[in-house]
């Protein structure tokens, strides 16, 4: 029996990838021209996997590529440590380069240990006691010197970059990072899905990163490419789905890359040889159910008024949220409450306003289905 060709977990960098050819070419070309890029989209559109492919291609052309995940950072020391770790992680297999990194980045020592997957995992220890912003400043200065010394093209990806905005003294942190990023001769990518927070860092004229980078939005996958991807992956792995059914899946998940993989993963597991309509209906329920815990915990963090707006927008996206008829249809009482709710929900990236049509809608397509089912 062949292996399921779809992924529930992180997609490996050499697995088949749907489309994104233009994005890949654009991003590689920006990186090679030392342009800094803000790469943003709603959750799970493929920013991280695309960035890893960009870095893979750059690496094969001789670029030193560092990947720094800032998810969950809570302090400036931790940010500095993650930066140092990303350099040790990319250099540790090359003795000469690793020694160089250790020689320059003296604020943190590398700690190498066997990882559960059989490789080596890299962590860091602070080498000397420095307080707050100074350790970040030192680390960035060491990074700058290291990059000058290695004399190679360098690319640094900061994933979940918006997290720095939630750390104490974030403006101070942004100031230091900006100062060095401007000086260092390489390309930086700033990646994130909390778009309001991320874009505010770059688009607010009072913030250090104002207009320092090129904004690049990742859209959902094109419908045609996704249909072709689904049919050909089923075929490659010895099973069959027709174009019409593949197209229906794309519609059900609104061309969302992660949900497409999840849907097809379950579907491939479920069927014997050939997909039927009944299978699709069944798997639709399975996919929605598989996200239930996540959705419930989102609702737990919201007030009743906000949930009412969310549920109204799931059932009926609208540009006229304040109209008397919309408010009456969805039991929304005060315009002040709606305004506040829209603001909170969009800050959390749960809803969004289409800038061309003015229509408010719920961002996650499976969340929409779940909210509708819940309120029946
Ligand atoms: N172009 C693609 N072709 C096939 N699958 C894709 C594609 N892009 C993304 N995926 C699927 O979606 C999953 C989520 O992608 P990824 O983690 O890169 O998204 P992300 O935008 O970084 O998410 P987050 O916002 O949660 O960080 C991947 O593991 C993969 O299964
Ligand atoms: Mg990601």
């Amino acid at each position: 029996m062949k292996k399921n060709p779809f992924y529930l977990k992180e997609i490996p960098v050499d697995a088949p990838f749907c489309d994104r050819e233009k994005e890949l070419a654009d991003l590689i070309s920006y990186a090679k021209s030392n342009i800094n890029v803000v790469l943003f989209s709603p959750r799970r559109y493929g920013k991280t996997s695309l960035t890893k492919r960009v870095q893979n291609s750059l690496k094969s052309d001789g670029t030193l590529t560092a990947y720094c995940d800032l998810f969950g950072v809570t302090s400036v020391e931790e940010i500095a440590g993650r930066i140092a770790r990303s350099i040790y992680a990319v250099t540790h297999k090359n003795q000469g380069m690793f020694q160089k990194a250790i020689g320059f980045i003296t604020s943190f020592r590398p700690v190498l240990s066997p990882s559960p997957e059989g490789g080596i995992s890299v962590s860091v220890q602070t080498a000397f006691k420095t307080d707050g912003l100074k350790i970040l400043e030192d680390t960035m200065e060491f990074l700058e010197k290291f990059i000058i010394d290695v004399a190679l093209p360098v690319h640094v990806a900061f994933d979940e970059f918006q997290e720095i905005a939630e750390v104490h003294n974030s403006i101070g942190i942004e100031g230091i990072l900006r100062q060095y990023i401007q000086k260092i001769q390489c390309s930086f990518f700033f990646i994130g899905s909390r778009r309001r927070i991320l874009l505010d860092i770059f688009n607010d004229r009072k913030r250090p990163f104002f207009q320092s980078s090129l904004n690049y939005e990742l859209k959902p996958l094109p419908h045609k490419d996704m249909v072709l991807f689904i049919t050909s992956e089923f075929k490659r792995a010895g099973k069959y789905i027709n174009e019409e059914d593949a197209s229906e899946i794309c519609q059900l998940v609104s061309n969302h890359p992660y949900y497409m993989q999840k849907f097809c993963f379950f579907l491939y597991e479920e069927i014997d040889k050939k997909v039927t309509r009944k299978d699709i209906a069944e798997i639709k329920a399975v996919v929605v159910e598989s996200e239930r815990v996540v959705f419930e915990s989102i609702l737990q963090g919201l007030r009743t008024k906000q949930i009412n707006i969310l549920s109204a927008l799931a059932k009926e996206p609208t540009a006229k949220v304040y109209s008397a008829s919309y408010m009456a249809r969805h039991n929304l009482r005060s315009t002040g409450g709606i305004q506040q709710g829209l603001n909170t929900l969009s800050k959390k990236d749960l809803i969004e306003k289409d800038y061309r049509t003015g229509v408010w809608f719920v961002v996650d397509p499976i969340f929409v289905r779940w909210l509708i089912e819940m309120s029946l």
Side-chain angles (χ1 to χ4, degrees):
M1 183 144 136
K2 294 203 171 155
K3 181 179 162 290
N4 192 324
F6 299 100
Y7 291 88
L8 274 188
K9 298 213 178 108
E10 189 183 327
I11 191 168
V13 78
D14 54 357
F17 208 53
C18 176
D19 187 50
R20 302 295 193 211
E21 280 116 16
K22 179 173 185 317
E23 290 86 346
L24 200 60
D26 285 350
L27 294 170
I28 290 171
S29 135
Y30 295 142
K32 287 189 170 170
S33 315
N34 280 356
I35 292 172
N36 299 333
V37 177
V38 186
L39 178 60
F40 64 100
S41 76
R43 288 214 55 205
R44 299 154 164 182
Y45 266 36
K47 299 174 293 296
T48 301
S49 11
L50 185 60
T51 301
K52 294 210 164 153
R53 277 155 206 258
V54 168
Q55 291 205 320
N56 218 28
S57 158
L58 293 170
K59 204 158 47 182
S60 62
D61 283 348
T63 299
L64 187 71
T65 56
Y67 173 79
C68 180
D69 189 353
L70 294 170
F71 185 75
V73 283
T74 54
S75 67
V76 61
E77 292 82 2
E78 221 180 317
I79 295 172
R82 299 264 182 113
I83 295 171
R85 186 175 76 187
S86 72
I87 298 297
Y88 289 133
V90 69
T91 53
H92 80 272
K93 285 189 183 141
N94 176 327
Q95 201 45 31
M97 193 102 82
F98 192 43
Q99 286 311 324
K100 212 171 248 192
I102 294 172
F104 278 103
I105 305 173
T106 50
S107 46
F108 291 91
R109 277 189 296 264
V111 180
L112 304 185
S113 44
S115 73
E117 298 84 38
I120 300 254
S121 95
V122 180
S123 57
V124 290
Q125 264 176 359
T126 37
F128 49 81
K129 190 115 195 77
T130 23
D131 65 326
L133 292 176
K134 179 80 171 69
I135 196 158
L136 182 63
E137 197 162 8
D138 285 349
T139 306
M140 290 306 287
E141 192 185 325
F142 301 150
L143 176 69
E144 183 189 9
K145 292 191 171 136
F146 168 73
I147 288 177
I148 293 171
D149 195 79
V150 289
L152 284 175
V154 175
H155 180 261
V156 181
F158 285 113
D159 209 346
E160 305 294 353
F161 186 68
Q162 76 278 340
E163 303 267 309
I164 65 161
E166 317 253 281
V167 172
H168 173 69
N169 201 357
S170 62
I171 297 293
I173 295 170
E174 287 172 28
I176 291 173
L177 289 175
R178 168 77 172 115
Q179 182 196 336
Y180 282 94
I181 278 159
Q182 198 168 13
K183 283 199 290 176
I184 296 175
Q185 284 303 309
C186 77
S187 160
F188 290 89
F189 280 12
F190 307 98
I191 305 145
S193 49
R194 304 279 311 276
R195 286 161 297 156
R196 278 279 292 268
I197 304 177
L198 181 71
L199 295 177
D200 278 354
I201 299 178
F202 294 88
N203 298 340
D204 177 347
R205 57 178 68 246
K206 294 193 283 308
R207 308 266 290 261
F209 271 93
F210 178 61
Q211 289 190 342
S212 61
S213 309
L214 191 114
N215 286 350
Y216 197 94
E217 182 178 7
L218 203 59
K219 303 273 190 190
L221 287 167
H223 186 84
K224 232 174 72 199
D225 296 276
M226 210 185 223
V227 171
L228 185 65
F229 182 81
I230 296 173
T231 51
S232 57
E233 285 303 289
F234 267 89
K235 192 166 169 202
R236 189 171 65 82
K239 295 191 183 181
Y240 178 78
I241 181 167
N242 67 33
E243 258 182 46
E244 212 185 335
D245 290 344
S247 173
E248 188 181 336
I249 295 175
C250 298
Q251 254 162 21
L252 287 171
V253 301
S254 305
N255 299 332
H256 190 296
Y258 168 80
Y259 286 128
M260 176 273 286
Q261 289 275 5
K262 192 167 203 178
F263 200 112
C264 293
F265 181 92
F266 289 145
L267 187 59
Y268 184 91
E269 285 297 296
E270 178 66 21
I271 62 161
D272 188 25
K273 261 272 170 273
K274 209 169 157 200
V275 174
T276 64
R277 293 257 123 176
K278 194 166 144 271
D279 299 322
I280 295 195
E282 261 173 45
I283 298 301
K284 182 174 130 191
V286 173
V287 171
V288 177
E289 173 60 22
S290 74
E291 297 290 323
R292 184 169 52 87
V293 178
V294 177
F295 296 154
E296 280 174 354
S297 80
I298 294 175
L299 293 198
Q300 265 163 21
L302 299 176
R303 291 165 189 268
T304 312
K305 270 187 200 160
Q306 296 161 351
I307 296 175
N308 288 344
I309 299 170
L310 197 61
S311 154
L313 292 175
K315 283 184 262 182
E316 190 187 350
T318 184
K320 297 189 175 143
V321 69
Y322 296 109
S323 79
S325 62
Y326 190 84
M327 286 174 65
R329 263 200 310 283
H330 297 286
N331 266 329
L332 305 174
R333 298 221 170 79
S334 79
T335 51
I338 296 181
Q339 196 171 21
Q340 243 177 18
L342 292 176
N343 195 28
T344 309
L345 294 169
S346 62
K347 260 201 185 129
K348 289 178 183 280
D349 282 301
L350 295 173
I351 61 168
E352 188 176 321
K353 187 175 172 176
D354 184 311
Y355 68 92
R356 280 164 296 129
T357 58
V359 170
W360 283 100
F361 61 98
V362 176
V363 177
D364 185 312
I366 301 300
F367 197 23
V368 169
R369 290 191 184 281
W370 184 79
L371 285 165
I372 294 172
E373 279 172 22
M374 285 290 294
S375 59
L376 285 178

